[in-house]
Structures are given as structure tokens and as C-alpha cells.
Amino acid sequence: MSEHIITVAGVAVDTRHWIGGERVASTQTFEDVSPIDGSTIGDISRGTAMEAAAAVAAAKAAFPAWAATSRAERARILHAIADGVEKRIEELAIVETIDNGALLRSHRRGVMPRVAHNFRFFADWLLSLEHEDFETRGHTNHVSWDPAGPCVLITPWNAPLMLATWKVAPALAAGDTVMLKPAEWSPLTASLLADIAAEAGLPAGVLNVVQGYGSEIGDALTSHPDVRRISFTGSVPTAKRIAESAAANLTPLSLELGGKSPLLVFADADLDLAVDLAVQQYDNAGQVCLAGTRLLVEEAVVEEFTRRFVEKASALKQGDPRDEATDIGPNIHPRQLEKIDGFVQRAVAAGARAVIGGHRGDGQYYAPTLLTGVAQDSEIVQEEVFGPVLTLQTFTDEEEAVLLANGTRFGLAATVFTGNRERAERITARLVAGTVWVNCFFVRDLQAPFGGSRLSGVGREGGTWSFDFYCDVKNTVTAPSGWRNHG
């Protein structure tokens, strides 16, 4: 076996880049460590500006042929990739669990099947993508979606393959070529995706996977003049740096960034439902951008809500994510754990009270935490923690509820629990958020627009919105007469 192949739970993973249909090694590597126990998984090729340039060149060379490939053929290949994912769900699930610490049961039952669905959905949407022609003073307007060119896709570590394919699938369907840069803390399933895509018949250079640090290979990719689209999911500071790099070339950006989402519970809500879904905000050890981390509860029911919440949250089992009985796994990295604990300890020092949790566990585990006694302008309320930490505040009426809910710099999502339809309509109309759930949570349809407001992002993707971003949308206007050849 090659020195560049590592074995993860019996699955062979190539640690090199995938550029132009070939495996390419770097002279330097970085260590990939499992958050489960801190063990070293392997040494991964560490890309630089040289690998970035090679990937862009490969994507640029492959673009004309892929862009000219028929919609039907592109869709066929995307379905073949989905077939390959479905054949390897178990392998992808265990590798990603070891690499990023998320629950194996979730990877098996939800996340990896969603990866395959991402490819199937955008393949099918491509075949139905159209805009009805319309007339202007007798002239015909025809709207079309032309492939834009090479795309840089930079993806996060909290749901590595699912969030990567949420970008890769529409970009490939649109006829673009791709340079995928996975997060350095969870790079392994992106490498497996390259294998699956090649086996499915995706032409060389259409998908390239490059690994490394954002400050090294990431900056080189986002500042390259031959890149025509950049899509990024991650933190606000990194997004600002990417935007600066893209500005010199006016490269269009799609940015899905942090969240500090409110979860509002009115006195007339189904409290059992509200509590159940509030506890679900600890999913993936709190490493979910959409999580409703700010619980806003009407004063009349806060005591009962808190009692039920504590009872249910205290029953959660934290431990090895490979265990089917585990509810909460580890946080991704020691640096992230330090960040989480820093937020909590500063909040407690400022007067907050930890109703549950408020401390580290063993290794890279952080106890599910609920903080009360927090001020609206406090750091813990205003800044994204990205860990299993929720805050609880109260309100007395709708006006105060909306004021608190909208009272941060973010606007990714919001969740509202109420038994009154008219109230739900009033509240949701005033919330600043890209997605609002009413009496439910995390119901996602790929045809819906997805993105954030304020510091939570720029742009929308999903359904036709994805093709609007990954394509150059063209309008062709044709006069009703003047044809010399009527054949």
C-alpha cells in the first residue's frame, strides 16, 4: 500500500490532493487528529500556492468541455456519483465520525443519505430548469443559465461531506468546474468523494480537491484571477478575508456564516414540543450554525419550561460518538474547546448562572450548558460560541420578544413556538433571519432558499437560487422580424 494511503476503521483513504484527475502529494503535511480520543489519524498533504495554481489550471482546462456537456449527461454523472455514495455510506459514515466526532448513527441514517440526495436533487433540478419566454413589444425574451467557470468551494468541519456536496452538486450541475478546499480539521471524506466521482465517470479536472490551511492554499485560491465563483461556509473573520481576496477580481461570492439564532417560546405554545426541540439545539455538540442558542421564553411559563428542559437535557448521554446510545459527542479540536470554555467562564464571572453544565468533561468533551442571568448586550448573548452552550432570557410581550430576537448582528435562523396562528404570522414577518421555523426545527428542503442576513451571510443558495449563483444568467431578446432565411 502507498505511503500516502491511511486506513481509517478499515477504510483506505488517500491523503494526497486530487488535481486534474491525479493524486498529487505536497512536500509538507499537516496532522489530522480524531476528536474522539486525540489520536493521530494520519498526515495529510499540505497545499500551498503551487497546488492552488495547479488546481485552478486543471479546472480552467476542463471547463470548456464540461460546460458544453449536455444537461442530460451532466445529470447522469451526478446520479452516478449519488449511486457511489450510497454504496459507501457505511465507509463514509465511520470515516467522518472518526475525523470530526459527530454521531455515527446520524451519519448512517441522515447525513450520508443526504449527501447522495444533494447530487440527485440538483441533477433533477437541472433538467427542469427553465424560465418561460415572455414578450416585450412583440420581441421575445429568453432566459438561460450559462456555466460561469471554475469555482472555489471552501467548506467547514462540522458537517464536512454534506455541506461540501451542498455546494459541489449544484456547481457541477451548472456546468462549472470545482476546486474543493475542505477544512483542515476534517479533510478525509472529501478525499473519498474524489474517488467516488472519478469512478462515476466525472472527467478529469472537473472536480479537484486540495487540502491545507486557509492562510496558505485558501488565500491563493480565492485571489486567483481565473476563479469565477467563490462559495464559503464558516466564520465571519475568514469571510472578510476571502471577500478582500475576491475584490481585486470582482469574483462573485456566496457566504454562509455564523449564527446566534433565537428560539422563542410563547405561553400558548405546546411546551412538550418546545422543550424537546430546544434540547435538540445541543445536537452535534452544539456545532450547528442554525442552532437556536438563545432561548427566549415568555415569563408566564419560564419556570415550567426550565424545569422540563433541565430534566430532559440532564438525561442526554455524552460519550463516544460511535456508540449508538450516545447523544452528544466531542467538540472538534482543543482550540475550539478552549474557545467554548472561555465564553462560559467569562459569562459566569460577569454574573451568569450555569443551570446545567458550565464545565469541561474529559478529553474534548464539553458538558451541555444552560446559562441564565445574562444581559442582552453581554458577550455570551452577542457572539457565536459554536458549542453546547445555550442562554435563557425572558420576555413579557411580543414587542419585547422581537426586540430580543433581532438584537444581535446575526440573522441566520429563528424558531418560534406558539399556538396562535395570527401571532406566528406577526412575529415571523418581523424577524430578521434567512430561515424561520414555526413549531418545528431543522426542516430543510433543497428547493428552498438558504442563507443569512446581516453578518450571517451574503446571497442565497438552493433550487434555482443555486443556479443563479453558479451560472451567468443571460436574457436573449429576439425581434419578431428581419429574418432572411425562413426555412
Side-chain angles (χ1 to χ4, degrees), residues 273-460:
L273 176 65
V275 167
D276 284 349
L277 295 185
V279 172
Q280 282 188 27
Q281 308 310 303
Y282 291 127
D283 184 46
N284 201 21
Q287 299 168 143
V288 178
C289 59
L290 291 163
T293 57
R294 295 186 296 129
L295 308 183
L296 306 177
V297 182
E298 192 166 353
E299 280 187 2
V301 294
V302 69
E303 185 174 336
E304 179 65 14
F305 175 90
T306 304
R307 184 189 68 76
R308 296 190 199 184
F309 180 93
V310 169
E311 181 180 358
K312 192 169 187 67
S314 298
L316 294 173
K317 179 179 178 182
Q318 189 165 32
D320 192 319
R322 293 167 293 191
D323 185 340
E324 279 281 317
T326 296
D327 298 305
I328 300 179
N331 290 95
I332 185 74
H333 193 275
R335 198 160 74 210
Q336 184 67 15
L337 195 71
E338 287 288 338
K339 176 184 172 185
I340 294 166
D341 193 49
F343 272 115
V344 172
Q345 299 314 318
R346 289 191 298 274
V348 171
R353 183 173 75 92
V355 179
I356 57 171
H359 57 83
R360 304 182 192 205
D362 295 329
Q364 286 176 213
Y365 295 80
Y366 203 88
T369 297
L370 177 66
L371 299 175
T372 60
V374 295
Q376 178 66 16
D377 61 354
S378 64
E379 178 193 55
I380 196 68
V381 170
Q382 293 295 322
E383 300 297 331
E384 184 178 44
V385 177
F386 221 62
V389 178
L390 309 181
T391 59
L392 176 63
Q393 298 169 269
T394 63
F395 61 85
T396 57
D397 55 27
E398 291 184 13
E399 190 65 30
E400 186 179 16
V402 171
L403 188 67
L404 292 173
N406 289 339
T408 74
R409 300 175 299 159
F410 297 97
L412 188 57
T415 305
V416 178
F417 292 96
T418 177
N420 186 304
R421 183 185 296 273
E422 290 75 21
R423 168 178 282 152
E425 293 173 352
R426 287 194 303 270
I427 297 297
T428 57
R430 296 179 63 190
L431 293 176
V432 179
T435 299
V436 181
W437 288 288
V438 179
N439 296 328
C440 61
F441 177 67
F442 218 64
V443 178
R444 290 279 308 278
D445 192 310
L446 287 180
Q447 66 183 311
F450 180 73
S453 304
R454 296 176 176 168
L455 287 191
S456 288
V458 175
R460 295 291 184 270

Side-chain angles (χ1 to χ4, degrees), residues 96 100 102 107 156-160 163 183 186 233 284 287-289 332 386:
E96 189 144 296
N100 90 324
H107 281 142
W157 43 259
N158 59 321
L163 291 178
S186 56
T233 298
N284 201 21
Q287 299 168 143
V288 178
C289 59
I332 185 74
F386 221 62

Side-chain angles (χ1 to χ4, degrees), residues 70-400:
S70 70
R71 287 187 176 192
E73 178 61 8
R74 293 202 304 261
R76 185 193 68 78
I77 292 176
L78 263 63
H79 276 292
I81 295 173
D83 292 341
V85 168
E86 289 175 345
K87 290 175 183 176
R88 302 185 68 176
I89 279 180
E90 183 64 24
E91 294 180 8
L92 293 166
I94 188 61
V95 168
E96 189 144 296
T97 290
I98 291 172
D99 203 17
N100 90 324
L103 299 185
L104 179 58
R105 73 183 191 214
S106 296
H107 281 142
R108 282 172 171 158
R109 300 169 191 170
V111 177
M112 296 309 163
R114 172 63 180 269
V115 168
H117 177 63
N118 284 346
F119 284 103
R120 296 201 191 282
F121 173 87
F122 285 106
D124 293 340
W125 199 267
L126 170 65
L127 296 180
S128 64
L129 184 65
E130 63 178 350
H131 189 292
E132 186 176 350
D133 289 353
F134 56 97
E135 297 286 318
T136 303
R137 297 189 301 276
H139 296 64
T140 301
N141 293 263
H142 176 75
V143 177
S144 58
W145 287 262
D146 294 351
C151 301
V152 169
L153 311 178
I154 303 177
T155 54
W157 43 259
N158 59 321
L161 191 57
M162 192 272 284
L163 291 178
T165 56
W166 159 252
K167 302 176 187 295
V168 170
L172 295 182
D176 295 339
T177 51
V178 165
M179 293 141 285
L180 171 63
K181 209 293 278 185
E184 60 268 24
W185 288 350
S186 56
L188 300 183
T189 48
S191 181
L192 294 176
L193 177 65
D195 295 334
I196 291 170
E199 292 166 5
L202 190 69
V206 175
L207 172 65
N208 305 276
V209 179
V210 287
Q211 302 148 160
Y213 298 123
S215 60
E216 296 174 351
I217 193 168
D219 287 349
L221 288 169
T222 55
S223 61
H224 200 290
D226 289 334
V227 170
R228 294 314 314 139
R229 294 291 187 275
I230 300 171
S231 181
F232 168 73
T233 298
S235 71
V236 172
T238 302
K240 290 181 178 179
R241 189 166 71 243
I242 290 172
E244 289 175 359
S245 295
N249 304 306
L250 291 180
T251 308
L253 293 167
S254 178
L255 304 173
E256 194 266 281
L257 309 177
K260 196 67 180 176
S261 300
L263 186 151
L264 295 86
V265 181
F266 287 89
D268 60 4
D270 179 336
L271 275 193
D272 286 335
L273 176 65
V275 167
D276 284 349
L277 295 185
V279 172
Q280 282 188 27
Q281 308 310 303
Y282 291 127
D283 184 46
N284 201 21
Q287 299 168 143
V288 178
C289 59
L290 291 163
T293 57
R294 295 186 296 129
L295 308 183
L296 306 177
V297 182
E298 192 166 353
E299 280 187 2
V301 294
V302 69
E303 185 174 336
E304 179 65 14
F305 175 90
T306 304
R307 184 189 68 76
R308 296 190 199 184
F309 180 93
V310 169
E311 181 180 358
K312 192 169 187 67
S314 298
L316 294 173
K317 179 179 178 182
Q318 189 165 32
D320 192 319
R322 293 167 293 191
D323 185 340
E324 279 281 317
T326 296
D327 298 305
I328 300 179
N331 290 95
I332 185 74
H333 193 275
R335 198 160 74 210
Q336 184 67 15
L337 195 71
E338 287 288 338
K339 176 184 172 185
I340 294 166
D341 193 49
F343 272 115
V344 172
Q345 299 314 318
R346 289 191 298 274
V348 171
R353 183 173 75 92
V355 179
I356 57 171
H359 57 83
R360 304 182 192 205
D362 295 329
Q364 286 176 213
Y365 295 80
Y366 203 88
T369 297
L370 177 66
L371 299 175
T372 60
V374 295
Q376 178 66 16
D377 61 354
S378 64
E379 178 193 55
I380 196 68
V381 170
Q382 293 295 322
E383 300 297 331
E384 184 178 44
V385 177
F386 221 62
V389 178
L390 309 181
T391 59
L392 176 63
Q393 298 169 269
T394 63
F395 61 85
T396 57
D397 55 27
E398 291 184 13
E399 190 65 30
E400 186 179 16

